[in-house]
Amino acid sequence: MEKSLAGKVAIVTGAGRGLGRAFAERLAALGADVVIHGMRENGPAEYGEGTTLTDVAREIGEKYGVRTIRVLGDLTNNADVERVVQTSIKELGPVEILVHNAGGDVAAAGGKPNPNDAVNVKEIDVKAVLDRNLLSTILVCQHVARGMMERKSGRIITISSIAAFKGNDNSVIYATAKAAVVEYTRCLAVQLRPFNVNVNSLAPGDTRTGRFLGTRHVPGERLVSEGTLDRVAMVDEVARVIDFFAGPLGDFVTGQVLRVDGGTQCWSA
């Protein structure tokens, strides 16, 4: 697998911190040139995982000896999405790998919708969560897929969530959005099969990113790093799955959703 992606160009959205940065680092370690996308320049500092998006791009490029660029954009805005993709192509070349990680259980004001249940959640929060998760997935995949179809080559990985597969009463709109991302991923995979473009989704469970740890109380016994699968995942345990979906081991895999949650959900998707 060493440098198996050398010479390829990847876009990772929401790459300033947490899983997004880890995905970008995995691809860079395999030799890919990486577009580091974020919505805010200072986003990496919000939960103590860095300083600026510019610094993140520079650090990854220097660490792995690949080309990187930093691009800001609101991926719920079609014009911004087009600019992000075209800038990526202009600076680094045709995009051969997309990891769409941007999104999250965030509301219009930037925090979690409160309350976030099926009856009481505010209309403005519904739109914010749906737009940042589902609409952004559709827009980014549309713009990247067109070039992949022309070249008859490419990998698209959407980031969904295990929330998509089990009903709950405290993350309703987020779970609904991620369920729609899963179905969109499968539909896109069917459409792009004749063009040799693989489309899959990675569905993480609880993962110890800065944001996860900074926004909720986690019992200490769930923060052990070994000896049990009944724990919160390390970031790299989730991120390394990108090696499979983006690399040669995933050549004949498409339309799949892989839950990376230590077995908290053990039924067919």
Side-chain angles (χ1 to χ4, degrees), residues 5 8-15 20 23-24 27 32-37 75 81 84-85 88 94-102 135-148 151 153-159 181 184-185 188 192 197-202 242 245-247:
L5 301 181
K8 295 184 180 295
V9 174
I11 294 179
V12 181
T13 64
F23 294 143
L27 295 172
D33 299 321
V34 186
V35 178
I36 307 295
H37 160 270
L75 301 183
V81 174
V84 167
V85 174
S88 303
V95 178
E96 297 169 88
I97 300 165
L98 167 65
V99 179
H100 182 58
N101 170 74
L135 179 61
S136 72
T137 300
I138 294 171
L139 294 179
V140 174
C141 288
Q142 283 181 337
H143 281 277
V144 173
R146 292 179 185 125
M148 293 179 173
R151 297 187 305 277
S153 176
R155 302 291 177 91
I156 294 175
I157 302 105
T158 65
I159 306 303
V181 167
Y184 177 78
T185 300
L188 187 62
L192 296 185
V197 177
N198 305 61
V199 188
N200 295 289
S201 189
L202 190 165
I242 289 296
F245 277 145

Coordinates of all heavy atoms in Angstrom, one line a residue, residues 5 8-15 20 23-24 27 32-37 75 81 84-85 88 94-102 135-148 151 153-159 181 184-185 188 192 197-202 242 245-247:
L5 N -1.1 5.7 -3.9 CA -1.9 6.8 -4.5 C -1.0 7.9 -5.1 O -1.5 9.0 -5.3 CB -2.9 7.3 -3.5 CG -3.9 6.4 -2.9 CD1 -4.8 7.1 -1.9 CD2 -4.7 5.7 -4.0
K8 N -2.0 10.9 -7.6 CA -3.4 11.2 -7.7 C -3.8 12.4 -6.9 O -3.0 12.8 -6.0 CB -4.2 10.0 -7.1 CG -4.0 8.7 -8.0 CD -4.9 7.6 -7.5 CE -4.8 6.3 -8.3 NZ -5.3 6.5 -9.7
V9 N -4.9 13.0 -7.2 CA -5.3 14.2 -6.5 C -6.6 13.9 -5.8 O -7.6 13.3 -6.3 CB -5.6 15.4 -7.5 CG1 -6.2 16.6 -6.8 CG2 -4.3 15.8 -8.2
A10 N -6.6 14.3 -4.5 CA -7.8 14.0 -3.6 C -8.3 15.3 -3.1 O -7.5 16.2 -2.7 CB -7.4 13.1 -2.5
I11 N -9.6 15.4 -3.0 CA -10.3 16.5 -2.2 C -10.8 15.9 -0.9 O -11.5 14.9 -1.0 CB -11.4 17.2 -3.0 CG1 -10.9 17.9 -4.2 CG2 -12.2 18.1 -2.1 CD1 -12.0 18.6 -5.0
V12 N -10.5 16.5 0.2 CA -11.1 16.1 1.5 C -11.8 17.3 2.0 O -11.2 18.4 2.3 CB -10.1 15.6 2.5 CG1 -10.8 15.2 3.8 CG2 -9.3 14.4 1.9
T13 N -13.2 17.3 2.1 CA -13.9 18.4 2.6 C -14.0 18.3 4.1 O -13.9 17.2 4.7 CB -15.3 18.4 2.1 OG1 -16.1 17.2 2.5 CG2 -15.3 18.5 0.5
G14 N -14.1 19.4 4.8 CA -14.0 19.5 6.3 C -12.8 18.9 6.8 O -12.8 18.1 7.8
A15 N -11.6 19.3 6.2 CA -10.4 18.6 6.5 C -9.5 19.4 7.5 O -8.4 19.0 7.8 CB -9.6 18.5 5.2
G20 N -11.7 14.6 9.4 CA -11.4 15.2 8.1 C -9.9 15.3 7.9 O -9.3 14.9 6.9
F23 N -8.4 11.9 7.6 CA -8.5 11.3 6.2 C -7.5 11.9 5.3 O -6.9 11.2 4.4 CB -9.9 11.6 5.7 CG -11.1 11.0 6.4 CD1 -12.3 11.6 6.6 CD2 -10.9 9.7 6.9 CE1 -13.3 11.0 7.3 CE2 -12.0 9.1 7.6 CZ -13.2 9.8 7.8
A24 N -7.3 13.2 5.3 CA -6.3 13.9 4.5 C -4.9 13.3 4.7 O -4.2 13.1 3.8 CB -6.4 15.4 4.7
L27 N -4.5 9.8 3.1 CA -4.3 9.9 1.7 C -2.9 10.5 1.3 O -2.3 10.0 0.4 CB -5.4 10.8 1.1 CG -6.8 10.2 1.2 CD1 -7.8 11.3 0.7 CD2 -7.0 9.0 0.4
A32 N -0.9 10.7 -2.2 CA -1.8 11.6 -3.0 C -1.6 13.1 -2.7 O -1.2 13.4 -1.5 CB -3.3 11.3 -2.6
D33 N -1.8 13.9 -3.7 CA -1.8 15.4 -3.4 C -3.2 15.7 -2.9 O -4.2 15.2 -3.5 CB -1.5 16.1 -4.7 CG -0.1 15.8 -5.3 OD1 0.8 15.7 -4.5 OD2 0.0 15.7 -6.5
V34 N -3.3 16.6 -1.9 CA -4.6 16.7 -1.2 C -5.0 18.2 -1.2 O -4.3 19.1 -0.8 CB -4.5 16.2 0.2 CG1 -5.8 16.2 0.9 CG2 -3.9 14.8 0.2
V35 N -6.3 18.4 -1.5 CA -7.0 19.6 -1.3 C -7.6 19.6 0.1 O -8.4 18.8 0.4 CB -8.1 19.9 -2.4 CG1 -8.8 21.2 -2.1 CG2 -7.5 19.8 -3.8
I36 N -7.2 20.6 0.9 CA -7.7 20.7 2.3 C -8.8 21.7 2.3 O -8.5 22.9 2.2 CB -6.5 21.1 3.2 CG1 -5.3 20.2 3.1 CG2 -7.0 21.2 4.7 CD1 -5.6 18.7 3.5
H37 N -10.0 21.3 2.4 CA -11.1 22.2 2.4 C -11.6 22.5 3.8 O -11.6 21.6 4.6 CB -12.3 21.7 1.5 CG -13.6 22.3 1.9 ND1 -14.4 21.9 2.9 CD2 -14.2 23.5 1.5 CE1 -15.5 22.7 3.1 NE2 -15.4 23.6 2.2
L75 N -20.2 24.7 1.3 CA -20.6 23.7 0.4 C -22.1 23.5 0.3 O -22.5 22.6 -0.4 CB -19.9 22.4 0.8 CG -18.4 22.4 0.8 CD1 -17.8 21.0 1.2 CD2 -17.8 22.9 -0.5
V81 N -19.2 25.6 -4.3 CA -18.8 24.2 -4.6 C -18.1 24.2 -5.9 O -17.0 23.6 -6.1 CB -20.0 23.3 -4.6 CG1 -19.6 21.9 -5.1 CG2 -20.6 23.2 -3.2
V84 N -14.6 25.7 -5.5 CA -13.7 24.8 -4.8 C -13.2 23.7 -5.7 O -12.0 23.4 -5.8 CB -14.4 24.2 -3.6 CG1 -13.6 23.0 -3.0 CG2 -14.7 25.2 -2.5
V85 N -14.1 23.1 -6.5 CA -13.7 22.0 -7.4 C -12.8 22.6 -8.5 O -11.7 22.0 -8.8 CB -14.9 21.3 -8.0 CG1 -14.5 20.3 -9.0 CG2 -15.7 20.6 -6.8
S88 N -9.3 23.4 -7.3 CA -8.6 22.2 -7.0 C -8.0 21.7 -8.3 O -6.8 21.3 -8.4 CB -9.5 21.1 -6.4 OG -10.1 21.6 -5.2
P94 N -6.7 17.0 -12.3 CA -8.0 16.4 -12.2 C -8.2 15.6 -10.9 O -7.3 15.0 -10.4 CB -8.0 15.4 -13.4 CG -7.0 16.0 -14.3 CD -6.0 16.6 -13.5
V95 N -9.4 15.7 -10.3 CA -9.7 15.1 -9.0 C -10.0 13.6 -9.2 O -11.0 13.3 -9.9 CB -10.8 15.8 -8.3 CG1 -11.1 15.1 -7.0 CG2 -10.5 17.3 -8.1
E96 N -9.2 12.8 -8.6 CA -9.5 11.3 -8.7 C -10.0 10.7 -7.5 O -10.5 9.5 -7.5 CB -8.2 10.6 -9.1 CG -7.6 11.1 -10.5 CD -6.2 10.7 -10.8 OE1 -6.1 9.6 -11.3 OE2 -5.3 11.4 -10.5
I97 N -10.0 11.4 -6.4 CA -10.5 10.9 -5.1 C -11.3 12.0 -4.4 O -10.7 13.1 -4.3 CB -9.4 10.4 -4.2 CG1 -8.6 9.2 -4.8 CG2 -10.0 9.9 -2.8 CD1 -7.3 8.9 -4.2
L98 N -12.5 11.7 -4.0 CA -13.2 12.7 -3.2 C -13.6 12.0 -1.9 O -14.2 10.9 -1.9 CB -14.5 13.1 -3.9 CG -15.5 13.9 -3.0 CD1 -15.0 15.2 -2.5 CD2 -16.9 14.1 -3.7
V99 N -13.3 12.6 -0.7 CA -13.8 12.2 0.6 C -14.6 13.4 1.1 O -14.1 14.4 1.5 CB -12.6 11.9 1.6 CG1 -13.3 11.5 2.9 CG2 -11.7 10.8 1.0
H100 N -15.9 13.2 1.0 CA -16.8 14.3 1.5 C -17.1 14.1 3.0 O -18.0 13.3 3.3 CB -18.1 14.3 0.7 CG -19.0 15.5 1.1 ND1 -18.5 16.8 1.1 CD2 -20.2 15.5 1.5 CE1 -19.5 17.6 1.5 NE2 -20.5 16.8 1.8
N101 N -16.4 14.8 3.8 CA -16.5 14.7 5.2 C -17.3 15.8 5.9 O -17.7 15.7 7.0 CB -15.1 14.6 5.8 CG -15.1 14.7 7.3 OD1 -15.4 13.8 8.0 ND2 -14.6 15.9 7.8
A102 N -17.4 17.0 5.2 CA -18.1 18.1 5.8 C -19.5 17.8 6.2 O -20.2 17.1 5.5 CB -18.0 19.3 4.7
L135 N -27.5 18.2 1.4 CA -27.3 19.1 0.2 C -25.9 19.2 -0.2 O -25.5 19.1 -1.3 CB -27.9 20.5 0.5 CG -27.8 21.5 -0.6 CD1 -28.5 21.0 -1.9 CD2 -28.3 22.8 -0.2
S136 N -25.0 19.4 0.8 CA -23.6 19.5 0.5 C -23.0 18.3 -0.2 O -22.2 18.3 -1.1 CB -22.8 19.9 1.8 OG -22.7 18.7 2.6
T137 N -23.5 17.1 0.3 CA -23.1 15.8 -0.3 C -23.5 15.8 -1.8 O -22.7 15.4 -2.7 CB -23.7 14.6 0.4 OG1 -23.2 14.7 1.8 CG2 -23.2 13.3 -0.2
I138 N -24.7 16.1 -2.1 CA -25.2 16.1 -3.4 C -24.4 17.0 -4.3 O -24.0 16.7 -5.4 CB -26.7 16.4 -3.5 CG1 -27.5 15.3 -2.7 CG2 -27.2 16.6 -4.9 CD1 -29.0 15.6 -2.5
L139 N -24.3 18.3 -3.9 CA -23.6 19.3 -4.7 C -22.2 18.9 -5.0 O -21.7 19.0 -6.1 CB -23.7 20.7 -4.0 CG -25.1 21.3 -3.9 CD1 -25.0 22.6 -3.2 CD2 -25.8 21.4 -5.3
V140 N -21.4 18.6 -3.9 CA -20.0 18.2 -4.1 C -19.8 17.0 -5.0 O -19.0 17.0 -6.0 CB -19.3 18.0 -2.8 CG1 -17.9 17.5 -3.0 CG2 -19.3 19.3 -2.0
C141 N -20.6 16.0 -4.8 CA -20.5 14.8 -5.6 C -20.9 15.1 -7.1 O -20.2 14.6 -8.0 CB -21.4 13.7 -5.1 SG -20.8 12.9 -3.5
Q142 N -21.9 15.9 -7.3 CA -22.2 16.3 -8.7 C -21.1 16.9 -9.4 O -20.7 16.5 -10.5 CB -23.4 17.2 -8.7 CG -24.8 16.6 -8.4 CD -25.9 17.6 -8.4 OE1 -25.7 18.8 -8.2 NE2 -27.1 17.2 -8.6
H143 N -20.4 17.9 -8.8 CA -19.4 18.6 -9.5 C -18.1 17.7 -9.7 O -17.5 17.8 -10.7 CB -19.0 19.9 -8.7 CG -20.0 21.0 -8.9 ND1 -19.9 21.9 -9.9 CD2 -21.1 21.4 -8.2 CE1 -20.9 22.7 -9.9 NE2 -21.6 22.5 -8.8
V144 N -17.8 16.9 -8.7 CA -16.6 16.0 -8.9 C -16.9 14.9 -9.8 O -16.0 14.5 -10.6 CB -16.2 15.5 -7.5 CG1 -15.0 14.5 -7.7 CG2 -15.7 16.7 -6.7
A145 N -18.1 14.3 -9.8 CA -18.4 13.1 -10.6 C -18.3 13.4 -12.1 O -18.0 12.5 -12.8 CB -19.8 12.6 -10.2
R146 N -18.6 14.6 -12.5 CA -18.6 14.9 -13.9 C -17.3 14.6 -14.6 O -17.1 14.0 -15.6 CB -19.1 16.3 -14.2 CG -20.6 16.5 -13.8 CD -21.1 17.9 -14.1 NE -22.4 18.1 -13.6 CZ -22.8 19.0 -12.8 NH1 -21.9 19.8 -12.2 NH2 -24.1 19.1 -12.4
G147 N -16.2 15.1 -13.9 CA -14.9 14.9 -14.4 C -14.5 13.4 -14.4 O -13.8 12.9 -15.3
M148 N -14.9 12.7 -13.3 CA -14.6 11.3 -13.2 C -15.3 10.5 -14.3 O -14.7 9.5 -14.9 CB -15.0 10.8 -11.8 CG -14.2 11.3 -10.7 SD -14.8 10.7 -9.1 CE -13.5 11.3 -8.0
R151 N -13.3 10.8 -17.5 CA -12.0 10.0 -17.5 C -12.2 8.5 -17.3 O -11.3 7.7 -17.4 CB -11.1 10.6 -16.4 CG -10.7 12.0 -16.6 CD -9.6 12.4 -15.6 NE -10.0 12.2 -14.2 CZ -10.8 13.0 -13.5 NH1 -11.2 14.1 -14.1 NH2 -11.2 12.7 -12.3
S153 N -12.8 7.0 -14.4 CA -12.0 6.6 -13.3 C -12.2 7.5 -12.1 O -12.4 8.7 -12.3 CB -10.5 6.7 -13.7 OG -9.7 6.4 -12.6
G154 N -12.3 6.9 -10.9 CA -12.4 7.8 -9.7 C -13.0 7.0 -8.6 O -13.6 6.0 -8.7
R155 N -12.8 7.6 -7.4 CA -13.3 7.1 -6.1 C -14.0 8.2 -5.4 O -13.5 9.3 -5.2 CB -12.2 6.5 -5.2 CG -11.3 5.5 -5.9 CD -12.1 4.2 -6.1 NE -11.3 3.2 -6.7 CZ -10.5 2.3 -6.1 NH1 -10.4 2.3 -4.8 NH2 -9.8 1.4 -6.8
I156 N -15.2 7.9 -5.0 CA -16.0 8.9 -4.1 C -16.3 8.2 -2.8 O -16.9 7.1 -2.8 CB -17.3 9.3 -4.8 CG1 -16.9 10.2 -6.1 CG2 -18.2 10.1 -3.9 CD1 -18.2 10.6 -6.9
I157 N -16.0 8.8 -1.7 CA -16.3 8.3 -0.4 C -17.1 9.3 0.4 O -16.6 10.4 0.6 CB -15.0 7.9 0.4 CG1 -14.2 6.9 -0.4 CG2 -15.4 7.3 1.8 CD1 -13.0 7.4 -1.0
T158 N -18.3 9.0 0.7 CA -19.1 9.9 1.5 C -19.0 9.5 3.0 O -18.7 8.3 3.3 CB -20.6 9.9 1.1 OG1 -21.2 8.6 1.4 CG2 -20.8 10.3 -0.3
I159 N -19.1 10.4 3.9 CA -19.0 10.1 5.3 C -20.4 10.2 5.9 O -21.0 11.3 5.9 CB -18.0 11.0 6.1 CG1 -16.7 11.0 5.4 CG2 -17.9 10.6 7.5 CD1 -16.0 9.6 5.3
V181 N -28.0 10.5 3.0 CA -26.7 10.4 2.4 C -26.3 9.0 2.0 O -25.8 8.8 0.9 CB -25.6 11.0 3.4 CG1 -24.2 10.6 2.9 CG2 -25.7 12.5 3.6
Y184 N -28.4 8.2 -1.1 CA -27.8 8.9 -2.3 C -26.5 8.3 -2.7 O -26.3 8.1 -3.9 CB -27.5 10.4 -1.9 CG -26.8 11.2 -3.0 CD1 -27.6 11.6 -4.1 CD2 -25.5 11.4 -3.0 CE1 -27.0 12.3 -5.1 CE2 -24.9 12.1 -4.0 CZ -25.6 12.6 -5.1 OH -25.0 13.2 -6.1
T185 N -25.7 7.8 -1.8 CA -24.4 7.2 -2.1 C -24.7 5.9 -2.9 O -24.0 5.6 -4.0 CB -23.7 6.8 -0.8 OG1 -23.4 8.0 -0.1 CG2 -22.4 6.1 -1.2
L188 N -25.9 6.9 -6.4 CA -24.8 7.4 -7.2 C -23.9 6.3 -7.7 O -23.4 6.3 -8.8 CB -24.0 8.4 -6.4 CG -22.9 9.2 -7.2 CD1 -23.5 10.0 -8.3 CD2 -22.2 10.1 -6.2
L192 N -22.9 5.5 -11.6 CA -21.5 5.6 -12.1 C -20.8 4.3 -12.3 O -19.7 4.3 -12.8 CB -20.7 6.4 -11.0 CG -21.2 7.9 -10.8 CD1 -20.3 8.6 -9.8 CD2 -21.3 8.6 -12.1
V197 N -16.4 4.3 -11.8 CA -16.2 5.2 -10.7 C -16.9 4.5 -9.5 O -18.0 4.1 -9.5 CB -16.9 6.6 -10.9 CG1 -16.8 7.4 -9.6 CG2 -16.3 7.3 -12.1
N198 N -16.0 4.3 -8.4 CA -16.5 3.6 -7.2 C -17.1 4.6 -6.2 O -16.4 5.6 -6.0 CB -15.3 2.8 -6.5 CG -14.6 1.9 -7.5 OD1 -14.1 2.3 -8.5 ND2 -14.6 0.6 -7.1
V199 N -18.2 4.3 -5.7 CA -18.8 5.2 -4.7 C -19.2 4.4 -3.5 O -20.0 3.5 -3.6 CB -20.1 5.9 -5.3 CG1 -20.6 7.0 -4.4 CG2 -19.8 6.5 -6.7
N200 N -18.7 4.8 -2.3 CA -19.0 4.1 -1.1 C -19.1 5.1 0.1 O -18.8 6.2 -0.1 CB -17.8 3.1 -0.8 CG -17.7 2.0 -1.8 OD1 -18.5 1.1 -1.8 ND2 -16.7 2.1 -2.6
S201 N -19.6 4.6 1.2 CA -19.8 5.4 2.3 C -19.2 4.8 3.6 O -19.3 3.6 3.8 CB -21.3 5.7 2.6 OG -21.5 6.7 3.6
L202 N -18.5 5.6 4.4 CA -17.9 5.2 5.7 C -18.9 5.8 6.7 O -19.1 7.0 6.7 CB -16.5 5.7 5.8 CG -15.6 5.3 6.9 CD1 -14.2 5.6 6.7 CD2 -16.0 5.9 8.3
I242 N -10.2 4.6 5.0 CA -10.1 5.3 3.7 C -9.0 4.6 2.8 O -9.1 4.7 1.6 CB -9.7 6.8 4.0 CG1 -10.9 7.5 4.6 CG2 -9.2 7.5 2.7 CD1 -12.1 7.6 3.7
F245 N -11.0 2.1 0.8 CA -12.0 2.6 -0.2 C -11.2 3.3 -1.3 O -11.7 3.3 -2.5 CB -13.0 3.5 0.5 CG -14.1 2.8 1.1 CD1 -14.7 3.3 2.3 CD2 -14.7 1.7 0.5 CE1 -15.8 2.6 2.9 CE2 -15.8 1.0 1.1 CZ -16.3 1.5 2.3
A246 N -10.2 4.0 -1.0 CA -9.5 4.9 -2.0 C -8.4 4.1 -2.7 O -8.0 4.5 -3.8 CB -8.9 6.1 -1.3
G247 N -7.9 3.0 -2.2 CA -6.7 2.4 -2.7 C -7.0 1.1 -3.6 O -8.2 0.8 -3.8

